[in-house]
Amino acid sequence: MADIVFSVSQINEYISKKMFRDPFLSAIAVVGEVTNFSLSSVGHAFFSLKDEDSMISCIVYEYADNEYKDAIIDGALIKVSGRIIFYKKSASVQLAVEKASAEGIGDLYAKFEQTKQKLFAEGLFDKAYKKAIPDYPLNIGVVTSASGAAVHDIINVATRRFEGISITVYPAQVQGKDAARQITGGIKYFNDKKSVDVIIVGRGGGSFEDLFAFNEESVARAVFESEIPIVSAVGHETDFSLCDMAADLRAPTPSAAAELVVRSKQDIIDYIRAQKQRLFENLADALHQRQLLADMLTGSIKAFPLSMKLEQAGERITASCRMIKTSLIGLLEKNTLLLGNQINNLNSLNPQNVLKRGFAIVYDENNNVITSSKKSRENMDIEFADGRVSVTRKD
């Protein structure tokens, strides 16, 4: 028997038939806590049941039509019944769930609900305490994993929308026992330095357990107590954490957070141009109205006897000139101030001004901006506010 060689498919087929014929595995009940719940594009639901020591994958076919679907929620403790199946293609074992009923809630979810109710009662989620996100932030702080996809998404989106914007990353663990302490440490760091205009806190998607650092009470309190506005971007759009609830603004994903915080440079330029055009149109309209008034007064003068014309005309012309002068001066001062403010806003966003504050831009041989040490070259140019310097990297 040992000399017979089987294919992988034959072995998996044999195991599948063995499990299918096993009467114990064909009708089984299991109690566990739901985690990693997701829906497939064809309408099946996937999740895992776990206890303190182990985990088993589960599937619910045609989930939308299953009458027991309301019991299957991340963090819920449920009892399910069904049969064990062996998926031959990946050689994986699953529990095909037919029925499900609630048994309570898992320990982690119970902690989440208890903390949420406590912080809600203290007012940490009230809209009255939400701080406004700056319209034109020049410096952005990011608290997330330095090696995760979230930080790259934020940097790519932000720099694409406004080249030259300053982004400072505070690297922190985003899951595990030390994650909450490091996340709160990042928020405190930016508040102590006061070097950024807004903070993005978050990470990419994961299970309820993976994201739980953002449900810790210490993190929610640090977000609430931050003097700098905070945008929370934890997981995917369907995920919702206590960090989201305490933040000044919640973004569905890290990429969306960058889009919400950083305005497109072209949109800002278009806005200033529109304001400038509106300024000139208002000025032209005001001058036209004053011309109409002057024409009307001229017509009125002709209707009086010459003796009255001279006296009244002089008074009206003097008064009208004074009124026109006062109105035009006021209008010009108002619109000049508005235009000056818009020009100042644009100048403050000019990357050249950022260089004057001590920052620099690094270019490769092709004059492309280098944003990471991993992309550095042997020969590079460094642009300061007063010119460029060619450098050679020494490893």
Side-chain angles (χ1 to χ4, degrees):
M1 189 69 179
D3 296 332
I4 301 176
V5 178
F6 298 94
S7 68
V8 174
S9 298
Q10 288 174 322
I11 292 296
N12 284 351
E13 180 69 24
Y14 178 80
I15 297 173
S16 177
K17 289 180 178 179
K18 277 286 189 180
M19 296 183 69
F20 183 78
R21 293 169 182 165
D22 190 322
F24 174 75
L25 300 179
S26 63
I28 192 169
V30 181
V31 173
E33 183 179 335
V34 178
T35 186
N36 296 332
F37 180 88
S38 65
L39 283 174
S40 72
S41 58
V42 295
H44 304 326
F46 295 90
F47 63 95
S48 297
L49 284 180
K50 68 168 188 174
D51 57 21
E52 294 180 357
D53 301 314
S54 192
M55 184 181 298
I56 185 170
S57 298
C58 302
I59 183 173
V60 179
Y61 295 105
E62 298 179 352
Y63 175 77
D65 298 327
N66 191 291
E67 62 179 304
Y68 306 101
K69 63 181 181 181
D70 291 341
I72 306 172
I73 304 170
D74 266 333
L77 186 66
I78 64 173
K79 180 174 75 175
V80 301
S81 58
R83 63 175 297 115
I84 299 294
I85 59 175
F86 182 78
Y87 188 52
K88 292 181 288 184
K89 189 172 183 179
S90 60
S92 58
V93 176
Q94 288 180 314
L95 172 58
V97 176
E98 298 171 358
K99 296 180 180 180
S101 59
E103 292 286 308
I105 58 175
D107 293 340
L108 207 58
Y109 193 77
K111 180 182 178 182
F112 167 78
E113 284 294 331
Q114 182 180 12
T115 305
K116 183 175 73 172
Q117 294 301 325
K118 175 183 178 181
L119 300 183
F120 177 82
E122 293 181 23
L124 266 69
F125 307 144
D126 289 354
K127 292 183 179 180
Y129 299 116
K130 305 296 183 187
K131 295 177 285 294
I133 307 301
D135 289 332
Y136 305 104
L138 298 177
N139 302 285
I140 300 173
V142 180
V143 180
T144 189
S145 169
S147 60
V151 67
H152 298 292
D153 291 342
I154 292 171
I155 293 174
N156 289 339
V157 172
T159 53
R160 186 179 68 246
R161 290 174 66 82
F162 203 110
E163 181 182 355
I165 196 164
S166 172
I167 301 175
T168 305
V169 178
Y170 183 95
Q173 291 184 17
V174 291
Q175 68 183 74
K177 64 179 183 179
D178 202 38
R181 184 186 64 81
Q182 293 191 20
I183 294 168
T184 57
I187 296 171
K188 185 177 185 299
Y189 169 83
F190 285 123
N191 275 270
D192 290 343
K193 292 289 184 180
K194 301 189 185 304
S195 57
V196 297
D197 305 309
V198 63
I199 303 171
I200 298 176
V201 178
R203 56 156 289 164
S207 68
F208 184 73
E209 292 83 356
D210 293 340
L211 304 179
F212 200 78
F214 296 89
N215 287 321
E216 295 287 359
E217 181 177 344
S218 60
V219 172
R221 290 192 181 279
V223 170
F224 176 78
E225 293 168 1
S226 172
E227 296 180 3
I228 301 171
I230 289 185
V231 178
S232 176
V234 180
H236 300 304
E237 188 168 1
T238 55
D239 299 318
F240 225 100
S241 66
L242 298 182
C243 178
D244 292 330
M245 299 178 190
D248 301 297
L249 180 65
R250 185 244 177 185
T253 63
S255 296
E259 292 182 354
L260 291 170
V261 169
V262 182
R263 292 196 178 188
S264 167
K265 179 185 289 186
Q266 188 58 50
D267 290 344
I268 296 173
I269 293 173
D270 292 342
Y271 172 76
I272 293 175
R273 285 174 176 169
Q275 290 297 101
K276 181 179 178 181
Q277 182 63 30
R278 182 180 177 185
L279 173 63
F280 286 124
E281 290 175 354
N282 289 341
L283 183 57
D285 183 64
L287 291 173
H288 178 67
Q289 295 297 325
R290 297 304 181 267
Q291 184 62 51
L292 292 178
L293 178 60
D295 292 343
M296 181 185 68
L297 292 174
T298 301
S300 299
I301 291 173
K302 296 178 181 179
F304 289 90
L306 182 57
S307 59
M308 298 178 62
K309 286 180 182 179
L310 295 176
E311 182 180 354
Q312 295 185 10
E315 294 176 355
R316 290 195 176 188
I317 289 174
T318 301
S320 296
C321 288
R322 188 182 299 111
M323 178 178 64
I324 291 172
K325 182 179 179 180
T326 302
S327 299
L328 285 176
I329 291 173
L331 181 62
L332 286 172
E333 289 178 348
K334 176 182 177 182
N335 288 320
T336 299
L337 180 60
L338 176 61
L339 182 58
N341 288 338
Q342 298 299 337
I343 291 173
N344 289 337
N345 286 337
L346 185 58
N347 287 335
S348 69
L349 299 174
N350 188 339
Q352 191 65 27
N353 291 334
V354 177
L355 295 179
K356 291 179 181 179
R357 294 199 301 271
F359 294 90
I361 303 176
V362 183
Y363 299 88
D364 62 15
E365 299 94 329
N366 299 319
N367 208 36
N368 295 319
V369 176
I370 299 175
T371 60
S372 171
S373 61
K374 297 179 181 177
K375 298 181 180 179
S376 62
R377 300 289 187 270
E378 183 176 354
N379 296 313
M380 295 174 286
D381 285 350
I382 300 178
E383 181 179 353
F384 298 92
D386 56 353
R388 288 195 181 191
V389 176
S390 297
V391 299
T392 301
R393 189 187 67 190
K394 292 185 178 180
D395 295 326

